[in-house]
Amino acid sequence: MIRRFLVIALLAIGATVSHAQQSLPSSFQAKTIHTPEAAEIFVRWGGKGPVVVLIHGYAENSDSWAPLAADLMKDHTVVVPDLRGIGKSSKPEAGYDEKTQAKDIRAVVTGLGYDKTSVVAHDIGNTVAYAYAAMYPDRVERLVVLDAPIPGIEPWNEILLDPRVWHFNFHGPDAERLVAGRERIYLDRIWNDFSGDPSKPDEATRNFFAATYAQPGGMRAGFAQFTAFSQDAKDNRIFGQVKLTMPVLAVGGEKSFGSLQAVIMRHVATNVREAVVTGSGHWLMEERPAETVALIRNFLDSPDAGQTAARLAD
């Protein structure tokens, strides 16, 4: 009987561990960097080799990059900040436009003693990454954008008509009151609508991220990311007058942006490689981590990043 109990207990522990929220490698260092734009940006970094900055999206934080960071750290220096207002970074009242956040990222890079890097981004991180590449083009060696629009870059106006993006205009004090104590319900709507697999992100991941947004000021700061979209759109139309020339990988989930991601980037960049992750929705790191990591690694390591098309099968 005791033996049987121990076996059951060990199986239960194993199940709990296997479904635990993924986090960045424990060997990563961590610090908070004060930026000239009045933010305190929490950043973790580790590994050795060419520097890669990973910029997360909304409804997540820097821990969403766990699968990619664990792989790249073998031969890259991986820098993973929390955007202002999210995770362990400060939550100032202002500064959520892409240009200000790009300056935050630059302060993180130089604050750690680095200069030129590659940049990988997802979701609203794409907006910050694009601004960063446009503002510091000679400091970005390669750019990867994962499954999200860029405000002001076509087909932006068409995307705004999609009823699933109502959250772009859901912000302000009343919205904060509505979701207070109900952050998980609000975020579930976003995770569910944009996932190709209803079970992803899993329960542990959802609970973890919901708790980070439930911190004091968390939803106000999260909503502020979307409040800034109108200004971002104006700035991006100006940025777009000079196209990016560094190699760009545009990755879309088959059940989300798909090949449209490359269409968007070709409006603003001259050297775009396209990739579609079969079977995935928007949450690529949760839905198809191995395939997505392989795509990004191959692009970063490839001596010829100017290929124009690639597609992953299941």
Side-chain angles (χ1 to χ4, degrees):
M1 178 65 72
I2 294 176
R3 181 179 180 183
R4 181 168 178 261
F5 173 80
L6 289 173
V7 169
I8 293 172
L10 288 171
L11 287 172
I13 292 170
T16 300
V17 171
S18 67
H19 290 87
Q21 156 63 25
Q22 296 188 85
S23 60
L24 296 180
S26 59
S27 61
F28 274 28
Q29 301 179 71
K31 70 183 299 185
T32 298
I33 293 178
H34 177 76
T35 79
E37 305 303 316
E40 306 293 330
I41 302 299
F42 177 74
V43 60
R44 286 170 286 179
W45 75 102
K48 186 176 182 181
V51 182
V52 183
V53 179
L54 310 182
I55 306 178
H56 68 85
Y58 188 66
E60 300 184 312
N61 68 7
S62 54
D63 284 297
S64 64
W65 291 116
L68 181 61
D71 181 87
L72 291 182
M73 70 174 291
K74 300 170 186 175
D75 49 16
H76 291 77
T77 299
V78 185
V79 176
V80 198
D82 279 339
L83 290 172
R84 69 164 56 204
I86 298 177
K88 294 183 179 179
S89 289
S90 66
K91 300 169 177 58
E93 290 295 326
Y96 294 91
D97 62 284
E98 62 178 9
K99 290 171 70 174
T100 300
Q101 294 197 79
K103 293 176 183 177
D104 288 343
I105 299 301
R106 187 62 189 162
V108 167
V109 171
T110 58
L112 293 177
Y114 305 125
D115 185 18
K116 292 186 177 182
T117 77
S118 291
V119 178
V120 180
H122 175 241
D123 192 76
I124 61 169
N126 288 2
T127 303
V128 178
Y130 172 58
Y132 185 87
M135 293 166 66
Y136 310 104
D138 58 342
R139 296 296 178 261
V140 177
E141 296 178 322
R142 300 189 183 200
L143 173 64
V144 181
V145 291
L146 305 180
D147 206 80
I150 295 179
I153 306 303
E154 293 305 326
W156 176 244
N157 291 331
E158 180 180 338
I159 290 168
L160 291 179
L161 298 176
D162 187 331
R164 292 176 300 171
V165 301
W166 64 266
H167 59 286
F168 286 5
N169 292 305
F170 184 75
H171 43 73
D174 290 335
E176 293 171 39
R177 290 170 57 210
L178 282 168
V179 301
R182 306 178 184 89
E183 293 84 4
R184 171 64 193 269
I185 297 172
Y186 163 79
L187 292 169
D188 271 341
R189 205 285 311 177
I190 295 173
W191 289 319
N192 293 340
D193 277 6
F194 295 100
S195 178
D197 179 349
S199 68
K200 302 294 177 66
D202 62 25
E203 279 296 304
T205 300
R206 291 176 186 231
N207 286 333
F208 174 78
F209 287 135
T212 67
Y213 282 82
Q215 297 175 49
M219 289 309 305
R220 171 190 55 78
F223 290 153
Q225 300 282 348
F226 300 112
T227 306
F229 273 4
S230 59
Q231 182 60 52
D232 292 342
K234 295 175 183 176
D235 291 334
N236 287 336
R237 293 186 186 105
I238 296 173
F239 284 148
Q241 294 174 11
V242 179
K243 290 193 172 185
L244 304 178
T245 58
M246 75 285 294
V248 175
L249 174 63
V251 183
E254 179 191 26
K255 298 181 180 181
S256 187
F257 272 77
S259 60
L260 180 60
Q261 192 65 52
V263 172
I264 293 169
M265 293 311 297
R266 289 189 180 110
H267 287 303
V268 297
T270 61
N271 184 2
V272 179
R273 177 178 176 179
E274 173 185 336
V276 175
V277 180
T278 303
S280 185
H282 176 67
W283 311 104
L284 293 155
M285 280 292 117
E286 289 78 21
E287 298 182 59
R288 294 291 190 275
E291 296 93 326
T292 306
V293 167
L295 265 178
I296 296 170
R297 169 169 282 285
N298 289 341
F299 174 74
L300 294 177
D301 292 347
S302 173
D304 177 16
Q307 300 177 49
T308 58
R311 188 177 186 89
L312 282 182
D314 281 327

